[in-house]
């Protein structure tokens, strides 16, 4: 656990993010699942977001992130 600091603040932000497909259709399989995982990792790296834990299921994505 590491706290971030600014000039007058100390903070520790963690978020639980869940994305679900429309009507919970089970479409996140095979190559689409791998590509989604690559896109999420790339976007988080660009935005300086640390993925603490993440799971890509067949119909939703869970991420626990630290910003």
């Amino acid at each position: 656990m590491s706290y971030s600091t600014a000039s007058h603040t100390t903070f520790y932000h963690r978020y639980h993010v869940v994305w679900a497909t429309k009507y919970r259709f089970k479409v996140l399989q095979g190559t689409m699942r791998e590509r989604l995982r690559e896109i999420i990792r790339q976007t988080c790296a660009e935005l300086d977001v640390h993925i603490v834990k993440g799971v890509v299921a067949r119909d939703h994505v869970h991420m626990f992130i630290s910003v």
Side-chain angles (χ1 to χ4, degrees):
M1 174 167 70
S2 64
Y3 291 92
S4 301
T5 58
S7 60
H8 296 286
T9 59
T10 301
F11 52 93
Y12 181 65
H13 297 293
R14 289 192 159 190
Y15 299 99
H16 180 228
V17 181
V18 179
W19 288 297
T21 59
K22 189 171 184 175
Y23 305 118
R24 297 293 287 238
F25 286 140
K26 298 180 180 358
V27 296
L28 302 177
Q29 300 175 16
T31 57
M32 183 181 289
R33 183 179 184 163
E34 295 301 320
R35 180 67 179 135
L36 178 64
R37 189 174 294 182
E38 290 175 17
I39 291 170
I40 290 172
R41 286 181 181 163
Q42 180 183 8
T43 305
C44 287
E46 290 174 4
L47 297 175
D48 197 28
V49 173
H50 175 69
I51 301 172
V52 178
K53 183 161 182 161
V55 176
V56 179
R58 291 174 37 200
D59 60 349
H60 64 280
V61 177
H62 280 276
M63 290 177 53
F64 188 55
I65 58 175
S66 175
V67 296

